[in-house]
Each structure stands twice: as structure tokens, then as C-alpha cells.
Amino acid sequence: MDHHITDALSRPALLRLDERTTCVRFETMKVASALTAVRHLLDRGEVARGDTLVDSSSGIYAHALALACHRHGLKCHIVASTTVDTTLRVQLEVLGATVEPMPPTPDLKLDQSRRVARVREILRDNPRHHWMRQYHDDTHYLGYRPIADLLRHELGTAALTLVGGVGTGASTGALARFLRETDPDTTLVGVQPFDSVTFGSEHVRDPEIIIAGIGSSIPFANVDHALYDTLHWVGFDAALAGSVALLRDHAVFAGLSAGAAYLAARWERRSAPERHVVFLAPDTGHRYVDAAYSRHRQAEPLGRLRPHQIGDLGDMALPWSRMPWNRAPAPPAAVASRVVPAAS
């Protein structure tokens, strides 16, 4: 029996969609990451009960950190993206977190940059606060080892292709590292939105970009580009098609990043039918009901969609592009300088 909801939320449901496709479905994926990171800090004496942990978030990490702080008697301060909706904000406040929303902006790049700048101001004024640095501290990798162990236990010796949104790099990067300890042949496929600096799509504007959390306007040190074999860039329309198909065909109600990963996973399954494809569904679809699922009748059937197969970043185009990455280093604009917290 679990003693706190974080124990249950740290364990995903593994859903076999067909003989060669598995969905790793979370209610809120980053609980596993945040909970282990907080325990690590407590064990090392870097924080103590009653201290305040602070970070910036577009939603999933905010919930995860608030839950971890609730469990361990810590205070939590979130600088929240404009994508954090009322439902999530109320949950955070009831859990005891202080939520500081950024002013509305139509530009998610500006939103992200302002959030990080605000975190630095908070640390300057409150030197006892601890910045979790979900974008840059690879402590966030640690919580994914049990999930990698679960995948290997359930799927045995199958040759795996792992597909998921890149985001901070912790989830897909950690799972690939841990799986490759026993099977170096594990293939990692990253999913990005357009207009993200992480894998060089910042020159392609998606007019409806609302896929929160899997792209970035700033470099993330936690993204290890050399882990990735293939990249898919998926726009809103294609991600909506994937999300609606995932719900309609398999009854899995998940966010847009899961829909984008499902779309990419189907393609990888077709491209390498001898491999078992595993894709990540990091959260539920509730916060995308109005902006996405309400338009389900507009969703394109997946059979009509094919990615633009490209060999150069300059050739990518909406609504969906795919390119072999071949474990190459980061593009110049995505190289993160060493990040030193302003205070701890």
C-alpha cells in the first residue's frame, strides 16, 4: 500500500496497443523525477524541512514539485507559464505552493525567458531558497531508472525504440541511458515542436504552437543531444491528429505531446517493424480540451499524414518533419553554458 499519492503517480501504466507498440502512460510524468530529486537534496543535506524550493514551469513540473514538497514538508514557489490553467493553479495553491503567474503573452518564447529571469530575481531577494533547475540539473534523471527497469522487465529482450517529447531532456535522455546499460542498441527518437531552439527548429513558426513543455526558446543543459538517433518536429495540427487518434482508437486521453509521440511512434513502427516501439504519454488531456480536443472533428486521419523526410535543418516544414540525428552534438544555438545557481 502506498503512503503518499506521489508513490502511485510515479508508476506509469504500460499499455500494449499492438504486438509491437507500448504506451507508457502517466497522469503526471515528472512526479518520478521531482520526487527523486527532492529526496536526493534532503539526503545530501542541501535542503531541510521547511525550506523553500523554487522553479519555473509550464505545468507538469509545477504539479510534480508541489507534490514532492507536500510529501517532505518543504515550501514550494512556482513561477508559472501562461499555459498553467485555473484547474492546475487551484491544485497547486491547495497543496500549499505559492504560484506566481507571468503576465499573459502571445509569445511563448518571451514567456519562458521572463520566467527564468524572474526566478533569478527571487533567488537574489531570498538567498535561502533553493532553485531546482529542472532545465539544467541532471539530478532529474535519477527518477527514471525504476521506469527503465520496469520497461525492461515487461518487454524482455525486445529491441526497443523509445519515442517521446524532448522537453528538458530528462525523461527521454534518462530512459535511453538506463536502457542502454543492458541494451546499447536501444534507439531514441525525440519529438519537438516547431519554433524550438533545442534541435534547431526556431526558424519555422507554428501559428498555433501550444504544445507546452516539449520545446524551448532557451538552451537546456539537461538535453544530451548525442543520445538521440532520430528527430520528429510535429506541429499543432499533426499533434492534434495524433491525440484524437490515440483517444479514439485506444481510449487513451492524453496531452498534445503524447499525440505527437504517438504519431511519430506509428511511423517508426512502420519504418522498423522488427523493433518494439515504446512512446511516452506524460500527462492527461484535460488542459487541452478547449484549445485542442474541442476541435476533434477537424483532425486529419493519421493515414493521410506523412513526415517531410529531411537531411538538413533548413529543409524542415510544417506540419511534420523527420530527420536522422545520428547522435550528433547540439546545434550551436542550443549549446547551454554552465549554469550556476544564483543562490541555494
Side-chain angles (χ1 to χ4, degrees):
M1 181 179 296
D2 295 324
H3 295 285
H4 194 271
I5 189 64
T6 49
D7 291 328
L9 294 178
S10 295
R11 294 190 300 270
L14 300 189
L15 306 174
R16 184 69 68 93
L17 303 190
D18 61 41
E19 72 278 5
R20 291 285 184 180
T21 308
T22 295
C23 174
V24 185
R25 201 271 192 188
F26 295 85
E27 182 174 336
T28 179
M29 181 178 70
K30 291 187 178 180
V31 170
S33 176
L35 184 61
T36 303
V38 169
R39 284 173 174 161
H40 185 71
L41 291 170
L42 288 166
D43 290 345
R44 295 179 59 176
E46 295 184 37
V47 300
R49 290 178 63 88
D51 285 352
T52 298
L53 307 185
V54 60
D55 215 339
S56 158
S57 175
S58 62
I60 298 178
Y61 187 79
H63 189 207
L65 185 59
L67 287 168
C69 288
H70 181 275
R71 177 168 191 167
H72 289 292
L74 295 153
K75 298 174 184 176
C76 179
H77 186 99
I78 298 295
V79 179
S81 168
T82 56
T83 59
V84 173
D85 61 17
T86 301
T87 301
L88 177 56
R89 181 175 176 177
V90 169
Q91 287 185 73
L92 297 175
E93 291 173 345
V94 173
L95 284 167
T98 303
V99 182
E100 182 177 341
M102 297 305 295
T105 173
D107 186 345
L108 291 183
K109 288 184 176 182
L110 178 60
D111 174 64
Q112 192 170 49
S113 298
R114 288 194 305 185
R115 282 187 280 132
V116 174
R118 178 57 187 145
V119 168
R120 291 188 178 277
E121 291 176 355
I122 292 168
L123 293 168
R124 180 196 64 204
D125 298 336
N126 301 273
R128 286 289 304 159
H129 286 12
H130 182 91
W131 182 14
M132 289 300 294
R133 297 186 299 147
Q134 65 149 327
Y135 304 145
H136 307 298
D137 188 344
D138 63 5
T139 300
H140 290 90
Y141 276 49
L142 300 177
Y144 293 103
R145 180 176 286 281
I147 299 166
D149 292 343
L150 175 64
L151 286 171
R152 183 51 66 198
H153 177 265
E154 292 293 329
L155 299 176
T157 59
L160 297 184
T161 295
L162 176 68
V163 181
V166 176
T168 66
S171 58
T172 49
L175 288 170
R177 280 188 183 176
F178 297 141
L179 288 168
R180 285 172 181 166
E181 289 177 355
T182 56
D183 181 10
D185 186 46
T186 299
T187 296
L188 179 58
V189 178
V191 178
Q192 281 272 278
F194 292 94
D195 208 14
S196 170
V197 71
T198 309
F199 279 91
S201 64
E202 66 269 23
H203 61 289
V204 180
R205 178 70 175 169
D206 184 350
E208 295 199 79
I209 180 172
I210 59 168
I211 310 176
I214 68 168
S216 177
S217 64
I218 59 175
F220 287 169
N222 268 348
V223 178
D224 184 348
H225 294 73
L227 292 172
Y228 294 82
D229 297 288
T230 302
L231 260 292
H232 288 250
W233 294 267
V234 180
F236 171 82
D237 291 338
L240 173 63
S243 299
V244 170
L246 185 59
L247 178 57
R248 180 176 290 139
D249 297 343
H250 301 287
V252 176
F253 182 48
L256 281 178
S257 64
Y262 178 54
L263 183 71
R266 281 170 52 97
W267 189 264
E268 297 302 321
R269 166 77 167 81
R270 181 187 306 178
S271 301
E274 75 283 0
R275 302 182 67 84
H276 194 105
V277 178
V278 176
F279 72 95
L280 303 182
D283 62 347
T284 67
H286 293 88
R287 64 172 170 161
Y288 293 107
V289 169
D290 291 336
Y293 277 100
S294 63
R295 298 158 62 177
H296 64 91
R297 291 181 182 85
Q298 303 172 23
E300 191 84 4
L302 293 194
R304 298 181 187 174
L305 295 175
R306 298 175 65 87
H308 298 287
Q309 300 283 359
I310 63 174
D312 185 272
L313 293 174
D315 295 333
M316 71 173 65
L318 290 162
W320 177 17
S321 293
R322 177 186 184 273
M323 188 176 90
W325 192 258
N326 298 324
R327 307 191 187 186
V335 176
S337 59
R338 183 174 180 270
V339 179
V340 180
S344 60

